[in-house]
Amino acid sequence: MLVVRAIEDQPEKGIKKGQKFRLYIVDAHHHMGREKGHTNTPPGAYEFYALLWFEMQRMAKDLKENDALLFEPVDVVPSTLPSKCFSSRKSWARLNHGWLVDRTIVFPFTDDYLGEGKGASFKVSNDKIAGWTTRAPHSTRLIGFARVDPKDSLRSKNAAVRELTRAVTKLGLRGLKLHPVAQLFVEEIEDEMTLRIVRKAGELKVPIIFDTRNVRTAQRIHAMVETMRNEPKYAKAMKGLKVILAHCGMSPGDPHFHELLRDPVIYGETSTLHDQDVPILFRTASDMLTNAGFHWSEKLLFGTDYSFLSVQAADVILHLLSRDFLGSLSDIQRILGGNALSLVGTPFRTKRMAHENPRMLTCTQKKKSARSVLETSLIARIAEGVLDLASLDYMLPPKTTWPDLRPMSAGGDNGIYFDSYFMTLRTRDNAREFIVWVKSHPNDMISCIILNDYKKATMLSTELAQQKKHPILSTDLTSNSQLFSTPNEFTSAIESMLR
Ligand SMILES: [Zn+2]
């Protein structure tokens, strides 16, 4: 997390000079794998973020001297649980750095493994992404997206759709990257072969990030969405469809681009934008995205496009901290991370899950924090290799009402519920997978739901307010609930279920 300090009093926002705030940052566009001169793996990502922080501090110094900043970046701190996981094993501990960015959405390059093996393009690449993103300790920081080539359908009609389904339901990848230029389908964006894939992504409720280099491509993507909206056979897909236009169509000030963002399912991502592009993007968005049924800052996501691009991402962060940016800290938090997490939207799960009834365990935390006893014990099992951690997903506020940030002197809340989360765990033999859903309650109670039913897991949302909408879950739970009075009993009961 990036710690920023208010440079002066901002009475209209209730902010005092010197107050510090924590911003949770998600990079929504990041490549891993190998493509010609580019190679990147998790350690490369963390090193890049350390470099980005170094560069940002240098740039911030100049900006501060010119009185351009409203908040100055002063520190980088990890969130507790991921950092605990990294420091639990010696070979992981040296990677416990680069915490300017807390979470990274990772997908393949148009890489050297592209055509390897039989079947769909990107199969090997998607396997590699899953290998990097769904195991401890990287699973606490990385979110994997798949990539497919719509043109595979020229060889085998449903090859790309099948690969997407496999990547999401078997590997646990949680979104899709499509690249019309690299896979040569710019002219076919509105064609059946692309629609089939987009439809499947919508049905699987995973977001799609499309590379866009100009407004024309972005408009084609929007036209495709409109086609789907108007045809009944796409009704199910439309319910889950979320489309991110990478690089904001490289048209940050073009009203035609911002017109597309008014569509309820379309979003923009900031990588490649730098210098004057950056203030123009945010100014145009806040001018044009009004009276549209959402707040303008819900529509933009921070991304780096590492390793194609590097430290220019600092321009975006520093602009958000500058006097020129007209939004609030809550707008900044949405753009830097909240929106990306909301779009991913569901806890990690795969079809490894059996169909057992969910169980709920609760415990009082009056004397001792049951949450920290449970975390310490689970992290120890992960470090030993008894369990593997496939993902850690914090609960979130509704994106429509992301709260104002609180200064660190008052707890440093930035909207992310660090005490309520989903941990997806796997047994050592990879045969069983569980969601451990930890929720802290205001009355010093903690609840933990153990779930290993894929269908029920797909109904879960990381949005805390959505939880009431899971009736199947709650009927099961009333009959499968146990109350514990000590953290140790609570923890060992949970452990005994994770086998
Ligand atoms: Zn890219």
CSV table of all heavy atoms in Angstrom, one decimal, residues 398-451:
chain,number,residue,atom,x,y,z
A,398,PRO,N,-19.5,-1.8,-1.6
A,398,PRO,CA,-20.2,-1.7,-2.9
A,398,PRO,C,-19.4,-0.6,-3.7
A,398,PRO,O,-19.1,0.5,-3.1
A,398,PRO,CB,-21.6,-1.2,-2.6
A,398,PRO,CG,-21.8,-1.4,-1.2
A,398,PRO,CD,-20.5,-1.4,-0.5
A,399,LYS,N,-19.2,-0.9,-5.0
A,399,LYS,CA,-18.4,0.1,-5.7
A,399,LYS,C,-19.1,1.5,-5.9
A,399,LYS,O,-18.6,2.5,-6.0
A,399,LYS,CB,-18.0,-0.4,-7.1
A,399,LYS,CG,-19.1,-0.7,-8.0
A,399,LYS,CD,-18.6,-1.2,-9.4
A,399,LYS,CE,-19.7,-1.5,-10.3
A,399,LYS,NZ,-19.3,-1.9,-11.6
A,400,THR,N,-20.5,1.4,-5.8
A,400,THR,CA,-21.3,2.6,-5.9
A,400,THR,C,-21.2,3.5,-4.7
A,400,THR,O,-21.4,4.7,-4.8
A,400,THR,CB,-22.8,2.3,-6.1
A,400,THR,OG1,-23.1,1.3,-5.1
A,400,THR,CG2,-23.0,1.7,-7.5
A,401,THR,N,-20.8,2.9,-3.6
A,401,THR,CA,-20.7,3.8,-2.4
A,401,THR,C,-19.3,3.5,-1.7
A,401,THR,O,-19.3,3.2,-0.5
A,401,THR,CB,-21.8,3.5,-1.4
A,401,THR,OG1,-21.8,2.1,-1.1
A,401,THR,CG2,-23.2,3.9,-1.9
A,402,TRP,N,-18.3,3.6,-2.4
A,402,TRP,CA,-16.9,3.4,-1.8
A,402,TRP,C,-16.8,4.5,-0.7
A,402,TRP,O,-17.0,5.7,-1.0
A,402,TRP,CB,-15.8,3.5,-2.8
A,402,TRP,CG,-14.6,2.9,-2.4
A,402,TRP,CD1,-13.7,3.4,-1.6
A,402,TRP,CD2,-14.1,1.5,-2.7
A,402,TRP,NE1,-12.6,2.5,-1.3
A,402,TRP,CE2,-12.9,1.4,-2.0
A,402,TRP,CE3,-14.6,0.5,-3.4
A,402,TRP,CZ2,-12.2,0.2,-2.0
A,402,TRP,CZ3,-13.9,-0.7,-3.5
A,402,TRP,CH2,-12.7,-0.8,-2.8
A,403,PRO,N,-16.4,4.1,0.5
A,403,PRO,CA,-16.4,5.1,1.6
A,403,PRO,C,-15.2,6.1,1.5
A,403,PRO,O,-14.3,5.9,0.7
A,403,PRO,CB,-16.2,4.3,2.8
A,403,PRO,CG,-15.4,3.1,2.3
A,403,PRO,CD,-15.9,2.8,0.9
A,404,ASP,N,-15.3,7.2,2.2
A,404,ASP,CA,-14.2,8.1,2.3
A,404,ASP,C,-13.1,7.5,3.1
A,404,ASP,O,-13.3,6.6,4.0
A,404,ASP,CB,-14.7,9.4,3.1
A,404,ASP,CG,-15.3,10.4,2.2
A,404,ASP,OD1,-14.9,10.4,1.0
A,404,ASP,OD2,-16.1,11.2,2.6
A,405,LEU,N,-11.8,7.8,2.8
A,405,LEU,CA,-10.7,7.2,3.5
A,405,LEU,C,-10.5,7.8,4.8
A,405,LEU,O,-10.8,9.0,5.0
A,405,LEU,CB,-9.4,7.3,2.6
A,405,LEU,CG,-9.2,6.2,1.6
A,405,LEU,CD1,-10.3,6.1,0.6
A,405,LEU,CD2,-7.9,6.3,0.9
A,406,ARG,N,-10.1,7.0,5.8
A,406,ARG,CA,-9.8,7.5,7.1
A,406,ARG,C,-8.3,7.6,7.3
A,406,ARG,O,-7.6,6.8,6.8
A,406,ARG,CB,-10.5,6.7,8.2
A,406,ARG,CG,-12.0,6.6,7.9
A,406,ARG,CD,-12.7,5.9,9.0
A,406,ARG,NE,-12.5,6.3,10.4
A,406,ARG,CZ,-13.1,7.3,11.0
A,406,ARG,NH1,-13.9,8.0,10.4
A,406,ARG,NH2,-12.8,7.5,12.3
A,407,PRO,N,-7.9,8.7,8.0
A,407,PRO,CA,-6.4,8.8,8.2
A,407,PRO,C,-5.9,7.6,9.1
A,407,PRO,O,-6.6,7.0,9.8
A,407,PRO,CB,-6.3,10.1,9.0
A,407,PRO,CG,-7.6,10.4,9.5
A,407,PRO,CD,-8.6,9.8,8.6
A,408,MET,N,-4.6,7.4,8.9
A,408,MET,CA,-4.0,6.2,9.6
A,408,MET,C,-4.1,6.4,11.1
A,408,MET,O,-4.2,5.4,11.9
A,408,MET,CB,-2.5,6.1,9.2
A,408,MET,CG,-2.5,5.4,7.8
A,408,MET,SD,-0.8,5.4,7.1
A,408,MET,CE,-0.1,4.1,8.0
A,409,SER,N,-4.1,7.7,11.6
A,409,SER,CA,-4.3,7.9,13.1
A,409,SER,C,-5.7,7.4,13.5
A,409,SER,O,-5.9,7.2,14.7
A,409,SER,CB,-4.1,9.4,13.4
A,409,SER,OG,-5.0,10.1,12.5
A,410,ALA,N,-6.6,7.2,12.6
A,410,ALA,CA,-8.0,6.7,13.0
A,410,ALA,C,-8.2,5.4,12.3
A,410,ALA,O,-9.3,5.0,12.0
A,410,ALA,CB,-9.0,7.7,12.5
A,411,GLY,N,-7.1,4.6,12.1
A,411,GLY,CA,-7.3,3.2,11.7
A,411,GLY,C,-6.9,3.0,10.2
A,411,GLY,O,-6.6,1.9,9.8
A,412,GLY,N,-6.9,4.1,9.4
A,412,GLY,CA,-6.4,4.0,8.0
A,412,GLY,C,-7.3,3.2,7.1
A,412,GLY,O,-6.8,2.7,6.1
A,413,ASP,N,-8.6,3.2,7.4
A,413,ASP,CA,-9.5,2.4,6.5
A,413,ASP,C,-9.5,3.0,5.1
A,413,ASP,O,-9.6,4.2,4.9
A,413,ASP,CB,-10.9,2.5,7.1
A,413,ASP,CG,-12.0,1.8,6.2
A,413,ASP,OD1,-11.6,0.9,5.5
A,413,ASP,OD2,-13.1,2.3,6.2
A,414,ASN,N,-9.3,2.1,4.1
A,414,ASN,CA,-9.4,2.6,2.7
A,414,ASN,C,-10.5,1.9,1.9
A,414,ASN,O,-10.5,1.9,0.7
A,414,ASN,CB,-8.1,2.5,2.0
A,414,ASN,CG,-7.5,1.1,2.1
A,414,ASN,OD1,-8.2,0.1,2.4
A,414,ASN,ND2,-6.2,0.9,1.9
A,415,GLY,N,-11.4,1.2,2.7
A,415,GLY,CA,-12.5,0.5,2.0
A,415,GLY,C,-12.3,-1.0,2.0
A,415,GLY,O,-13.3,-1.7,2.1
A,416,ILE,N,-11.1,-1.5,1.9
A,416,ILE,CA,-10.8,-2.9,1.8
A,416,ILE,C,-11.0,-3.5,3.2
A,416,ILE,O,-10.5,-2.9,4.2
A,416,ILE,CB,-9.4,-3.2,1.4
A,416,ILE,CG1,-8.9,-2.3,0.2
A,416,ILE,CG2,-9.2,-4.7,1.1
A,416,ILE,CD1,-9.3,-2.7,-1.1
A,417,TYR,N,-11.8,-4.5,3.4
A,417,TYR,CA,-12.0,-5.2,4.7
A,417,TYR,C,-10.9,-6.2,4.9
A,417,TYR,O,-11.0,-7.3,4.6
A,417,TYR,CB,-13.4,-5.9,4.7
A,417,TYR,CG,-14.5,-4.9,4.6
A,417,TYR,CD1,-15.2,-4.7,3.4
A,417,TYR,CD2,-15.0,-4.3,5.8
A,417,TYR,CE1,-16.3,-3.9,3.4
A,417,TYR,CE2,-16.1,-3.4,5.7
A,417,TYR,CZ,-16.7,-3.2,4.5
A,417,TYR,OH,-17.8,-2.4,4.4
A,418,PHE,N,-9.8,-5.7,5.6
A,418,PHE,CA,-8.7,-6.6,5.8
A,418,PHE,C,-9.0,-7.7,6.9
A,418,PHE,O,-8.3,-8.6,7.0
A,418,PHE,CB,-7.5,-5.8,6.3
A,418,PHE,CG,-6.9,-4.9,5.2
A,418,PHE,CD1,-7.1,-3.5,5.2
A,418,PHE,CD2,-6.3,-5.5,4.1
A,418,PHE,CE1,-6.7,-2.8,4.2
A,418,PHE,CE2,-5.8,-4.7,3.1
A,418,PHE,CZ,-6.0,-3.3,3.1
A,419,ASP,N,-10.1,-7.5,7.6
A,419,ASP,CA,-10.5,-8.6,8.6
A,419,ASP,C,-11.6,-9.5,8.1
A,419,ASP,O,-12.0,-10.4,8.9
A,419,ASP,CB,-10.8,-7.9,10.0
A,419,ASP,CG,-12.0,-7.0,9.8
A,419,ASP,OD1,-12.5,-6.8,8.7
A,419,ASP,OD2,-12.4,-6.4,10.8
A,420,SER,N,-12.0,-9.3,6.9
A,420,SER,CA,-13.0,-10.2,6.3
A,420,SER,C,-12.6,-10.6,4.9
A,420,SER,O,-12.4,-9.8,4.1
A,420,SER,CB,-14.4,-9.5,6.3
A,420,SER,OG,-14.8,-9.2,7.6
A,421,TYR,N,-12.4,-11.9,4.7
A,421,TYR,CA,-11.9,-12.3,3.4
A,421,TYR,C,-12.2,-13.8,3.1
A,421,TYR,O,-12.7,-14.5,3.9
A,421,TYR,CB,-10.3,-12.1,3.4
A,421,TYR,CG,-9.6,-12.7,4.6
A,421,TYR,CD1,-9.4,-14.1,4.7
A,421,TYR,CD2,-9.3,-11.9,5.7
A,421,TYR,CE1,-8.8,-14.6,5.8
A,421,TYR,CE2,-8.7,-12.4,6.8
A,421,TYR,CZ,-8.4,-13.7,6.9
A,421,TYR,OH,-7.8,-14.3,8.0
A,422,PHE,N,-11.9,-14.1,1.8
A,422,PHE,CA,-12.0,-15.5,1.4
A,422,PHE,C,-10.6,-16.0,1.2
A,422,PHE,O,-9.8,-15.4,0.4
A,422,PHE,CB,-12.7,-15.6,0.1
A,422,PHE,CG,-14.1,-15.1,0.1
A,422,PHE,CD1,-14.4,-13.8,-0.3
A,422,PHE,CD2,-15.1,-16.0,0.5
A,422,PHE,CE1,-15.8,-13.4,-0.3
A,422,PHE,CE2,-16.5,-15.5,0.5
A,422,PHE,CZ,-16.8,-14.2,0.1
A,423,MET,N,-10.2,-17.1,1.8
A,423,MET,CA,-9.0,-17.8,1.5
A,423,MET,C,-9.3,-19.1,0.8
A,423,MET,O,-10.1,-19.9,1.3
A,423,MET,CB,-8.3,-18.2,2.8
A,423,MET,CG,-7.1,-17.5,3.2
A,423,MET,SD,-6.4,-18.4,4.6
A,423,MET,CE,-5.2,-17.2,5.1
A,424,THR,N,-8.8,-19.3,-0.4
A,424,THR,CA,-9.1,-20.6,-1.1
A,424,THR,C,-7.9,-21.5,-0.8
A,424,THR,O,-6.7,-21.1,-1.2
A,424,THR,CB,-9.4,-20.4,-2.5
A,424,THR,OG1,-10.4,-19.5,-2.7
A,424,THR,CG2,-9.8,-21.7,-3.2
A,425,LEU,N,-8.1,-22.6,-0.2
A,425,LEU,CA,-7.0,-23.6,0.2
A,425,LEU,C,-7.2,-24.9,-0.5
A,425,LEU,O,-8.3,-25.3,-0.8
A,425,LEU,CB,-7.0,-23.8,1.7
A,425,LEU,CG,-6.7,-22.5,2.5
A,425,LEU,CD1,-7.2,-22.7,4.0
A,425,LEU,CD2,-5.2,-22.3,2.5
A,426,ARG,N,-6.0,-25.5,-0.8
A,426,ARG,CA,-6.0,-26.8,-1.4
A,426,ARG,C,-5.2,-27.8,-0.6
A,426,ARG,O,-4.2,-27.4,0.0
A,426,ARG,CB,-5.4,-26.8,-2.8
A,426,ARG,CG,-6.3,-26.2,-3.9
A,426,ARG,CD,-5.6,-26.2,-5.2
A,426,ARG,NE,-6.4,-25.5,-6.2
A,426,ARG,CZ,-5.9,-24.9,-7.2
A,426,ARG,NH1,-4.6,-24.9,-7.5
A,426,ARG,NH2,-6.7,-24.3,-8.1
A,427,THR,N,-5.6,-29.0,-0.7
A,427,THR,CA,-4.8,-30.1,0.0
A,427,THR,C,-3.6,-30.3,-0.8
A,427,THR,O,-3.5,-30.0,-2.0
A,427,THR,CB,-5.6,-31.4,0.2
A,427,THR,OG1,-6.1,-31.7,-1.2
A,427,THR,CG2,-6.8,-31.2,1.1
A,428,ARG,N,-2.6,-30.9,-0.1
A,428,ARG,CA,-1.3,-31.1,-0.8
A,428,ARG,C,-1.4,-31.9,-2.1
A,428,ARG,O,-0.7,-31.6,-3.0
A,428,ARG,CB,-0.3,-31.9,0.2
A,428,ARG,CG,1.1,-31.9,-0.2
A,428,ARG,CD,1.8,-33.1,0.5
A,428,ARG,NE,1.8,-33.0,1.9
A,428,ARG,CZ,2.8,-32.6,2.7
A,428,ARG,NH1,4.0,-32.3,2.1
A,428,ARG,NH2,2.7,-32.6,4.0
A,429,ASP,N,-2.3,-32.9,-2.1
A,429,ASP,CA,-2.4,-33.7,-3.3
A,429,ASP,C,-3.2,-33.0,-4.4
A,429,ASP,O,-3.5,-33.6,-5.4
A,429,ASP,CB,-3.0,-35.1,-2.9
A,429,ASP,CG,-4.4,-34.9,-2.3
A,429,ASP,OD1,-4.9,-33.8,-2.3
A,429,ASP,OD2,-4.9,-36.0,-1.8
A,430,ASN,N,-3.6,-31.8,-4.1
A,430,ASN,CA,-4.4,-31.0,-5.1
A,430,ASN,C,-5.8,-31.5,-5.4
A,430,ASN,O,-6.5,-31.1,-6.3
A,430,ASN,CB,-3.6,-31.0,-6.4
A,430,ASN,CG,-3.2,-29.6,-6.8
A,430,ASN,OD1,-3.7,-28.6,-6.2
A,430,ASN,ND2,-2.2,-29.5,-7.7
A,431,ALA,N,-6.2,-32.5,-4.5
A,431,ALA,CA,-7.5,-33.2,-4.8
A,431,ALA,C,-8.7,-32.4,-4.3
A,431,ALA,O,-9.8,-32.4,-4.8
A,431,ALA,CB,-7.5,-34.6,-4.3
A,432,ARG,N,-8.5,-31.7,-3.2
A,432,ARG,CA,-9.6,-31.0,-2.5
A,432,ARG,C,-9.3,-29.5,-2.4
A,432,ARG,O,-8.2,-29.1,-2.2
A,432,ARG,CB,-9.9,-31.7,-1.2
A,432,ARG,CG,-10.6,-33.0,-1.4
A,432,ARG,CD,-10.6,-33.8,-0.1
A,432,ARG,NE,-11.4,-33.3,1.0
A,432,ARG,CZ,-12.8,-33.3,1.0
A,432,ARG,NH1,-13.5,-33.7,0.0
A,432,ARG,NH2,-13.4,-32.8,2.1
A,433,GLU,N,-10.4,-28.8,-2.5
A,433,GLU,CA,-10.2,-27.3,-2.5
A,433,GLU,C,-11.4,-26.7,-1.6
A,433,GLU,O,-12.5,-27.2,-1.8
A,433,GLU,CB,-10.3,-26.8,-3.9
A,433,GLU,CG,-10.1,-25.3,-4.1
A,433,GLU,CD,-10.2,-24.9,-5.5
A,433,GLU,OE1,-9.2,-25.2,-6.3
A,433,GLU,OE2,-11.2,-24.3,-5.9
A,434,PHE,N,-11.0,-25.8,-0.8
A,434,PHE,CA,-12.0,-25.2,0.1
A,434,PHE,C,-11.9,-23.7,0.1
A,434,PHE,O,-10.8,-23.1,0.1
A,434,PHE,CB,-11.7,-25.6,1.6
A,434,PHE,CG,-11.5,-27.1,1.8
A,434,PHE,CD1,-10.3,-27.7,1.7
A,434,PHE,CD2,-12.6,-27.8,2.3
A,434,PHE,CE1,-10.2,-29.1,1.9
A,434,PHE,CE2,-12.5,-29.2,2.5
A,434,PHE,CZ,-11.3,-29.8,2.3
A,435,ILE,N,-13.1,-23.1,0.2
A,435,ILE,CA,-13.0,-21.6,0.5
A,435,ILE,C,-13.2,-21.5,2.0
A,435,ILE,O,-14.1,-22.1,2.6
A,435,ILE,CB,-14.2,-20.9,-0.2
A,435,ILE,CG1,-13.9,-20.8,-1.7
A,435,ILE,CG2,-14.4,-19.5,0.4
A,435,ILE,CD1,-14.9,-20.1,-2.5
A,436,VAL,N,-12.3,-20.8,2.6
A,436,VAL,CA,-12.4,-20.5,4.1
A,436,VAL,C,-12.8,-19.0,4.1
A,436,VAL,O,-12.0,-18.2,3.8
A,436,VAL,CB,-11.1,-20.8,4.8
A,436,VAL,CG1,-11.2,-20.3,6.2
A,436,VAL,CG2,-10.7,-22.2,4.7
A,437,TRP,N,-14.0,-18.8,4.5
A,437,TRP,CA,-14.6,-17.4,4.4
A,437,TRP,C,-14.6,-16.9,5.9
A,437,TRP,O,-15.5,-17.3,6.7
A,437,TRP,CB,-16.0,-17.5,3.8
A,437,TRP,CG,-16.7,-16.2,3.7
A,437,TRP,CD1,-16.3,-15.0,4.1
A,437,TRP,CD2,-18.1,-16.1,3.3
A,437,TRP,NE1,-17.3,-14.1,3.9
A,437,TRP,CE2,-18.4,-14.7,3.4
A,437,TRP,CE3,-19.1,-17.0,2.9
A,437,TRP,CZ2,-19.7,-14.2,3.1
A,437,TRP,CZ3,-20.3,-16.5,2.6
A,437,TRP,CH2,-20.6,-15.2,2.7
A,438,VAL,N,-13.7,-16.0,6.1
A,438,VAL,CA,-13.6,-15.4,7.5
A,438,VAL,C,-14.3,-14.0,7.5
A,438,VAL,O,-14.0,-13.2,6.6
A,438,VAL,CB,-12.1,-15.2,7.8
A,438,VAL,CG1,-11.9,-14.5,9.1
A,438,VAL,CG2,-11.4,-16.6,7.9
A,439,LYS,N,-15.1,-13.9,8.5
A,439,LYS,CA,-15.8,-12.6,8.6
A,439,LYS,C,-15.8,-12.1,10.0
A,439,LYS,O,-16.2,-12.8,10.9
A,439,LYS,CB,-17.3,-12.8,8.1
A,439,LYS,CG,-17.8,-11.6,7.4
A,439,LYS,CD,-19.1,-11.6,6.7
A,439,LYS,CE,-20.0,-12.8,6.7
A,439,LYS,NZ,-21.4,-12.4,6.4
A,440,SER,N,-15.3,-10.9,10.2
A,440,SER,CA,-15.3,-10.3,11.5
A,440,SER,C,-16.7,-9.5,11.7
A,440,SER,O,-17.1,-8.9,10.8
A,440,SER,CB,-14.2,-9.3,11.7
A,440,SER,OG,-13.0,-10.1,11.7
A,441,HIS,N,-17.2,-9.7,12.9
A,441,HIS,CA,-18.5,-9.0,13.2
A,441,HIS,C,-18.3,-8.0,14.3
A,441,HIS,O,-17.4,-8.1,15.1
A,441,HIS,CB,-19.5,-10.1,13.7
A,441,HIS,CG,-19.8,-11.2,12.6
A,441,HIS,ND1,-20.8,-11.0,11.7
A,441,HIS,CD2,-19.1,-12.3,12.4
A,441,HIS,CE1,-20.7,-12.1,10.9
A,441,HIS,NE2,-19.7,-12.9,11.3
A,442,PRO,N,-19.2,-7.0,14.3
A,442,PRO,CA,-19.0,-5.8,15.2
A,442,PRO,C,-19.1,-6.2,16.6
A,442,PRO,O,-18.5,-5.6,17.5
A,442,PRO,CB,-20.1,-4.9,14.8
A,442,PRO,CG,-21.0,-5.5,13.8
A,442,PRO,CD,-20.3,-6.8,13.3
A,443,ASN,N,-19.7,-7.3,17.0
A,443,ASN,CA,-19.9,-7.7,18.4
A,443,ASN,C,-18.8,-8.6,18.9
A,443,ASN,O,-19.0,-9.5,19.7
A,443,ASN,CB,-21.3,-8.4,18.6
A,443,ASN,CG,-21.4,-9.6,17.6
A,443,ASN,OD1,-20.5,-9.8,16.8
A,443,ASN,ND2,-22.5,-10.3,17.8
A,444,ASP,N,-17.5,-8.4,18.4
A,444,ASP,CA,-16.4,-9.2,18.8
A,444,ASP,C,-16.5,-10.7,18.5
A,444,ASP,O,-15.9,-11.5,19.1
A,444,ASP,CB,-16.2,-9.1,20.4
A,444,ASP,CG,-15.5,-7.9,20.8
A,444,ASP,OD1,-14.6,-7.4,20.0
A,444,ASP,OD2,-15.7,-7.3,21.9
A,445,MET,N,-17.4,-10.9,17.5
A,445,MET,CA,-17.5,-12.3,17.0
A,445,MET,C,-16.8,-12.5,15.7
A,445,MET,O,-16.6,-11.5,15.0
A,445,MET,CB,-19.0,-12.7,16.8
A,445,MET,CG,-19.8,-12.7,18.1
A,445,MET,SD,-19.4,-14.1,19.2
A,445,MET,CE,-20.0,-15.5,18.3
A,446,ILE,N,-16.3,-13.7,15.5
A,446,ILE,CA,-15.8,-14.0,14.2
A,446,ILE,C,-16.5,-15.2,13.7
A,446,ILE,O,-16.8,-16.1,14.4
A,446,ILE,CB,-14.2,-14.2,14.3
A,446,ILE,CG1,-13.7,-14.5,12.9
A,446,ILE,CG2,-13.9,-15.3,15.2
A,446,ILE,CD1,-12.2,-14.6,12.8
A,447,SER,N,-16.8,-15.2,12.4
A,447,SER,CA,-17.4,-16.4,11.8
A,447,SER,C,-16.5,-16.9,10.7
A,447,SER,O,-15.8,-16.2,10.1
A,447,SER,CB,-18.8,-16.2,11.3
A,447,SER,OG,-18.7,-15.3,10.2
A,448,CYS,N,-16.5,-18.2,10.5
A,448,CYS,CA,-15.8,-18.8,9.5
A,448,CYS,C,-16.6,-19.9,8.8
A,448,CYS,O,-17.2,-20.8,9.4
A,448,CYS,CB,-14.5,-19.5,10.1
A,448,CYS,SG,-13.6,-20.4,8.8
A,449,ILE,N,-16.8,-19.7,7.5
A,449,ILE,CA,-17.6,-20.6,6.7
A,449,ILE,C,-16.7,-21.4,5.8
A,449,ILE,O,-15.8,-20.9,5.2
A,449,ILE,CB,-18.7,-19.9,5.8
A,449,ILE,CG1,-19.7,-19.2,6.7
A,449,ILE,CG2,-19.3,-20.8,4.8
A,449,ILE,CD1,-20.7,-18.3,6.0
A,450,ILE,N,-16.8,-22.8,5.9
A,450,ILE,CA,-16.0,-23.6,5.1
A,450,ILE,C,-16.9,-24.1,3.9
A,450,ILE,O,-17.9,-24.7,4.2
A,450,ILE,CB,-15.5,-24.8,5.8
A,450,ILE,CG1,-14.9,-24.4,7.2
A,450,ILE,CG2,-14.5,-25.7,5.0
A,450,ILE,CD1,-13.5,-24.3,7.3
A,451,LEU,N,-16.5,-23.9,2.7
A,451,LEU,CA,-17.3,-24.2,1.6
A,451,LEU,C,-16.5,-24.9,0.5
A,451,LEU,O,-15.4,-24.5,0.2
A,451,LEU,CB,-17.8,-22.8,1.0
A,451,LEU,CG,-18.7,-22.9,-0.2
A,451,LEU,CD1,-20.2,-23.2,0.3
A,451,LEU,CD2,-18.7,-21.6,-0.9
